[in-house]
Amino acid sequence: MTGRQKLVLTLLLGSQFMIAVDFSILNVALPVVGEGLGFSLAHLQWIATSFALAAAGFTLLFGRVADLVGRKNLFVGGMAVLGLSSALGGLATSPEVLLTARVLQGLATAAVTPAGLALLTTAFREGPLRERALGLNGALMSAGFTAGAILGGLLTDLLSWRWAFFVNVPVAALVVALAPSAITDSRPEKRPRLDVPGAVTVTGGLLLLVLGLSQAVETGWTAPVTLAALAAGAALLAAFVSIERRAAAPLVPVHILKRRSVVWGNTAGLIAFATETSLVFLLTLYLQEVLGYSALATGLAFGVLGVGTVVGGVLGGRAVGRFGNRRAIVLGGTVQAGATLMLVALGTSGAWIWLLLAATFVGGVGNMLMIVGFMVTATSGLPDAEQGRATGLATMTQQVGIALGIPVMSAVVTARTGAATGPDAVLSGVSTAVLVNAALVLLGALLAGRFLTGARHTKGAAHEGH
């Protein structure tokens, strides 16, 4: 890499790491935040859900906006909003102000993530350098989720939950100061119109889908509000596909949606993100409700998972270059599924922590191989002008997977435990959900192995089937 490429990589990876930290840093502090601002227990989940709704719902739209107004402009503007909204969250004195800050953080994430990823893929041509850059990006994002849990526990215990917001401000300010001169950007010579009907339907559909999944945990899967939100979301997404077929300047051209690399790469990515983030949720229940760990000790236990994801990210680019996209995804998914399956054996004794640490390390390596394979696959074989669309789709997949996994696994736990309480009941529910989690990962790996075209190097992705 040239010196400029290294600087660009550092800025972009730093911003993605910060966003990942921002997503998870409040998780272990939610009870403290709720107590401090007067959230009821039933409404506590909205601190996380409001962020996920905005991030998942607007990602695809901002991925296209990045192509129209310039990725660098959207990236810098999004980082500025992220810094300001983090300051607002840290200064919040009521639930309404905090939720407003979380929505703004989610919108900023929806802008920064696809724009940053598109800048990354256009800064490095297809081949070993891009694979390495995407591997490091995936490693730091996953490490960020883990670091967020640890940092959230430390800041909450040592200072205040407000520092979980304030810590973002100087990082955002540094990126906003350096990015304009360090990052180069390209725009299409002829700026097409924005597909407004497509933007409205896909944004509304994703918002309702994530809202329905979140409501399922709070009110049940058969509750009218849950069913109405899911049905309306599905109808809007179906309308979006129909609109895209006829639009003159579609948000996502049909030819992109027909590419095997895009469809099945994103399917594998959706499963990878949904299963690993929800596994962290399940193991948090196990550590705190069964073994009696504190929030800080729980965050520190996930440090081993973070190390595994960093190792997997470093190896991911090499694995894709050596074995091809498809084999890297299959290998990673199989390793993750096997490691997750081991966790079914967890018991109520504190000695089981060693199995948890070993399995989460190995599973983290496998998960990151799968994610790097997904990112490389989903963004390969497309011209620079369409990288915003491709990375918008990939980022949407990531955000929806994160928002989807926890409600689904929480529903499995609830269905298993029923009204029963206590460590044994929680362990039974967690074990069942872990088994479902492992099965989903294996299914994703098998689907990728069956439907993706194998290519030893990503330059072959341009010839993958339509």
Side-chain angles (χ1 to χ4, degrees), residues 88-152:
L88 178 65
L91 297 171
T93 56
S94 68
E96 293 77 14
V97 174
L98 184 78
L99 291 179
T100 299
R102 290 296 279 167
V103 169
L104 290 173
Q105 283 184 319
L107 289 172
T109 297
V112 169
T113 307
L117 192 55
L119 288 169
L120 190 67
T121 56
T122 52
F124 300 94
R125 297 177 59 185
E126 284 191 38
L129 278 183
R130 182 185 289 185
E131 291 159 9
R132 184 180 176 190
L134 287 173
L136 290 171
N137 179 72
L140 282 177
M141 288 197 70
S142 284
F145 288 120
T146 306
I150 298 172
L151 190 59

Side-chain angles (χ1 to χ4, degrees), residues 186-440:
S186 61
R187 297 189 207 175
E189 293 181 5
K190 184 179 180 181
R191 187 177 301 179
R193 292 181 303 164
L194 182 64
D195 175 20
V196 176
V200 171
T201 51
V202 73
T203 301
L206 289 172
L207 285 171
L208 286 168
L209 178 64
V210 177
L211 178 63
L213 291 168
S214 301
Q215 285 293 112
V217 178
E218 190 173 337
T219 61
W221 288 91
T222 58
V225 65
T226 301
L227 295 175
L230 292 175
L236 283 175
L237 291 177
F240 167 69
V241 174
S242 177
I243 289 170
E244 296 308 276
R245 293 181 184 277
R246 301 189 302 271
L251 197 64
V252 182
V254 175
H255 75 85
I256 289 182
L257 292 175
K258 287 183 177 181
R259 295 183 68 89
R260 281 190 182 184
S261 59
V262 172
V263 173
W264 294 107
N266 278 282
T267 299
L270 178 71
I271 292 174
F273 277 105
T275 52
E276 191 68 9
T277 53
S278 62
L279 183 64
V280 171
F281 165 74
L282 294 174
L283 295 180
T284 298
L285 288 180
Y286 172 74
L287 289 169
Q288 295 190 9
E289 301 296 331
V290 178
L291 298 188
Y293 276 40
S294 67
L296 178 56
T298 300
L300 292 174
F302 287 128
V304 175
L305 170 62
V307 174
T309 57
V310 172
V311 172
V314 172
L315 296 177
R318 297 176 184 177
V320 170
R322 182 171 181 179
F323 303 117
N325 307 352
R326 178 172 65 104
R327 290 183 180 178
I329 292 174
V330 173
L331 174 63
T334 303
V335 170
Q336 183 187 340
T340 302
L341 188 61
M342 292 169 59
L343 295 169
V344 175
L346 292 173
T348 56
S349 167
W352 288 103
I353 185 64
W354 298 108
L355 173 63
L356 184 147
L357 295 176
T360 53
F361 173 81
V362 175
V365 175
N367 177 255
M368 194 46 51
L369 289 178
M370 197 174 183
I371 288 174
V372 174
F374 140 65
M375 285 292 187
V376 173
T377 301
T379 58
S380 294
L382 294 170
D384 284 354
E386 293 186 343
Q387 282 298 320
R389 287 165 165 162
T391 55
L393 272 173
T395 308
M396 181 197 72
T397 295
Q398 169 189 319
Q399 300 291 358
V400 172
I402 291 169
L404 176 75
I406 292 177
V408 170
M409 291 302 151
S410 181
V412 173
V413 173
T414 303
R416 177 64 175 169
T417 58
T421 58
D424 289 335
V426 172
L427 179 60
S428 175
V430 167
S431 296
T432 303
V434 163
L435 187 62
V436 173
N437 192 293
L440 283 175

Side-chain angles (χ1 to χ4, degrees), residues 1-16 72 75 115-124 133 136-137 140 175 178-185:
M1 298 184 189
T2 64
R4 176 173 288 275
Q5 283 180 319
K6 290 178 180 178
L7 177 59
V8 169
L9 186 64
T10 301
L11 285 173
L12 296 177
L13 294 187
S15 67
Q16 302 287 15
K72 183 171 74 171
F75 175 78
L117 192 55
L119 288 169
L120 190 67
T121 56
T122 52
F124 300 94
L136 290 171
N137 179 72
L140 282 177
V175 173
L178 296 178
S181 59
I183 298 175
T184 56
D185 194 10

